[in-house]
Amino acid sequence: MAKGDPKKPKGKMSAYAFFVQTCREEHKKKNPEVPVNFAEFSKKCSERWKTMSSKEKGKFDEMAKADKVRYDREMKDYGPAKGGKKKKDPNAPKRPPSGFFLFCSEFRPKIKSTNPGISIGDVAKKLGEMWNNLSDSEKQPYNNKAAKLKEKYEKDVADYKSKGKFDGAKERAAKPPSRGKSRGGGR
C-alpha cells in the first residue's frame, strides 16, 4: 500500500470512524483471542450508531472536529511537492497506438456513417465487440503494424534521450518572444 507521498498527513477521520475504532478497541479488550469478522462487526457497529442519540454521538463529533483541525494544520505545513504533475515535453515522441486502436481508427468512420447519431460510448462498444469477434489471423495485420510503429517509437525515444530531454525547451528559451499577434496577421 505504498501509494502516494509517504510524508502526506494521515486523512481526517469522521465521527463514525472514531466510533468504529472505539468499538474495535472494546471488542479486543473483551475478546482478545477472537478474530474480528469484519462484515458482522461493521454491521453491528452501523446498527449501534443508528440507535445512538445525538448526545452520545457528540463525543465522537468532538473527536472528529479535533482531528480535522490537526489534519488542516498538517496539510498547511505539508504543501504537496512543488510543481505537482510533471509537465510533458511537447517534443517527446508520441506513444504508438496498439493494434486495437489502429483497427478502431479504420472502422470508427464506417460505424458512424452506418449509424448516424450513435453515441461515443456505443461506438466504442461496437468496436470492442467487432475486435473480439475477429480471429487472430484477422487481427494480425493491425498487430504487425502496431509492432512496427512501436519499434520506430522506441528508436525515436532513444534518439530523443540521447539528444537530451529539454533541447526544445532550451531552444524556445533562447529565442526572444514574438511581438504582435500570434495568428499570422501581417502589418
Side-chain angles (χ1 to χ4, degrees), residues 58-127:
K59 169 181 138 186
F60 301 107
D61 288 330
E62 289 303 314
M63 291 166 82
K65 283 178 187 169
D67 195 51
K68 184 184 183 325
V69 169
R70 179 228 22 113
Y71 175 77
D72 291 342
R73 179 177 14 90
E74 288 179 8
M75 279 305 284
K76 192 176 75 179
D77 295 341
Y78 165 68
K82 288 198 166 69
K85 191 175 177 185
K86 193 171 83 174
K87 296 249 193 277
K88 189 174 180 188
D89 184 0
N91 299 323
K94 190 177 176 194
R95 277 198 118 108
S98 66
F100 172 67
F101 277 95
L102 292 170
F103 170 82
C104 289
S105 63
E106 183 179 321
F107 283 92
R108 186 176 287 109
K110 294 175 185 174
I111 290 174
K112 284 184 173 182
S113 66
T114 57
N115 303 299
I118 190 171
S119 74
I120 295 168
D122 289 339
V123 170
K125 278 183 193 170
K126 204 166 194 76
L127 287 166

Side-chain angles (χ1 to χ4, degrees), residues 2-70:
K3 189 179 173 191
D5 186 353
K7 294 176 185 162
K8 185 175 180 181
K10 192 176 77 158
K12 56 186 176 240
M13 285 175 57
S14 66
Y16 180 69
F18 276 112
F19 169 71
V20 171
Q21 189 179 47
T22 306
C23 289
R24 203 178 145 87
E25 287 165 5
E26 287 173 7
H27 180 78
K28 278 186 180 177
K29 281 180 188 172
K30 289 178 186 173
N31 311 303
E33 67 284 334
V34 179
V36 177
N37 178 336
F38 185 75
E40 285 178 31
F41 180 75
S42 56
K43 196 179 278 187
K44 285 179 183 174
C45 284
S46 172
E47 288 167 6
R48 200 168 140 196
W49 179 257
K50 288 175 187 170
T51 60
M52 286 175 72
S53 69
S54 55
K55 187 178 178 185
E56 290 172 304
K57 289 180 183 179
K59 169 181 138 186
F60 301 107
D61 288 330
E62 289 303 314
M63 291 166 82
K65 283 178 187 169
D67 195 51
K68 184 184 183 325
V69 169
R70 179 228 22 113

